[in-house]
Each structure stands twice: as structure tokens, then as C-alpha cells.
Amino acid sequence: MNKNEALILLRAKGFKHTDKREDILELFEESGGYLSAKEIQTALKDAYPGISFDTIYRNLSLFKKLLILEETELDGEKVFQFHCTEHHHHHLICLRCGKTKTIEVCPMQDLSKLDPDFKVTGHKFEIYGYCKDCQEEIRRSHVKTERAGVH
């Protein structure tokens, strides 16, 4: 999914085009990873000084319902990214920057053999860690801290 596909889907389902909706979708297109409602509010505060969490969550809920966005939880907070539509896959998710990387392996292929009588109707598989860039930032931060004599 991308911003243009999302806007077409919204129109097709009878929802109004608003600047706020378009700007929220633009943020997801630019991010390449997961965003929280707080990050969205912070990014839009200059353009929409009075934008509330209620407005943001209402739009996020609509986008999730229409399969424009998918949701997960990181550190106890709901975060969202564009719904993946290409094919069945899973993600590596950076806990620092929220960027995701697609992994093509699906563990369900093997797990389904455990109980052939159990009908799986859906699943979610995510691996959390730190991307290469964030690992480097964390390492540099630790080096600066050590040089400063802070432990």
C-alpha cells in the first residue's frame, strides 16, 4: 500500500478526502516503518496546531479497518505502518527507528504440522531488534559516554 492507493481506496469506500488524512498518509510513505500516534501528532503540530489524539486515532482506526495500515505493539505502544499487499511475508522490526525489513520465511509452514486438526485463520510473526544504522548509533553513543567518564 502507498499514499495514492490509500487515497483511491478511501474515495472508493465513500470517505472524504481531507488534508489531514493525506498528510497522515504522507508521513507513512516517508517513514518506511512504524509510527505512533504521538509521532504523527508531533510531525503535524505546525500544520495543524490543535490536532488531537482523538482525530489521529480516529483516522488510524479507519485506515486499519480499510486495510490501509497494519498495527503492532512496540514497548507497550500501538504503532502503525502501511499494510503490506504484495504477498505473504513477515518483518524484522527495529526497536529504535521503527523501520521494517521483509522476511520471506514463514514459520507457520512447519508449525501447522504440529496439530493438523487445528484450523489456523491468521497469524502474525515479527522479529524485534536493531537495524545496522541504529546499532552504529547505539555503539557511538556508548563510546561517547565512556569517553566522558559516565557509567
Side-chain angles (χ1 to χ4, degrees):
M1 183 69 63
N2 63 41
K3 181 182 90 171
N4 289 334
E5 291 170 338
L7 291 171
I8 290 168
L9 179 61
L10 282 166
R11 263 184 247 116
K13 297 287 185 178
F15 293 96
K16 278 193 322 186
H17 176 277
T18 68
D19 290 341
K20 284 180 191 164
R21 286 182 178 157
E22 185 169 355
D23 289 347
I24 290 170
L25 293 169
E26 181 74 30
L27 289 173
F28 283 104
E29 191 154 89
E30 292 171 357
S31 80
Y34 285 95
L35 293 173
S36 69
K38 179 69 175 162
E39 290 170 316
I40 293 167
Q41 186 182 44
T42 300
L44 296 179
K45 71 179 177 190
D46 290 339
Y48 307 99
I51 193 166
S52 68
F53 274 120
D54 186 49
T55 298
I56 293 168
Y57 274 114
R58 205 171 35 253
N59 281 291
L60 292 174
S61 293
L62 172 64
F63 296 161
K64 184 180 167 201
K65 179 180 162 189
L66 295 176
L67 299 179
I68 291 170
L69 297 179
E70 55 189 51
E71 172 190 324
T72 196
E73 195 171 302
L74 296 176
D75 293 330
E77 184 177 22
K78 289 182 180 184
V79 291
F80 303 83
Q81 77 166 1
F82 272 129
H83 183 74
C84 298
T85 56
E86 309 102 43
H87 59 282
H88 181 77
H89 62 269
H90 299 283
H91 295 114
L92 298 172
I93 302 170
C94 182
L95 292 169
R96 186 167 182 269
C97 69
K99 286 201 166 62
T100 62
K101 184 174 182 179
T102 300
I103 52 175
E104 304 298 333
V105 176
C106 179
M108 288 303 295
Q109 294 165 345
D110 293 330
L111 292 176
S112 63
K113 295 174 188 168
L114 293 176
D115 187 349
D117 295 327
F118 186 81
K119 182 180 178 186
V120 175
T121 59
H123 68 279
K124 186 176 188 179
F125 182 68
E126 299 171 331
I127 300 173
Y128 305 100
Y130 299 97
C131 69
K132 184 178 179 181
D133 292 340
C134 287
Q135 288 177 60
E136 183 60 27
E137 285 292 320
I138 291 167
R139 189 192 65 73
R140 275 186 271 175
S141 173
H142 286 293
V143 169
K144 285 181 186 177
T145 302
E146 288 173 4
R147 286 185 184 155
V150 178
H151 295 282

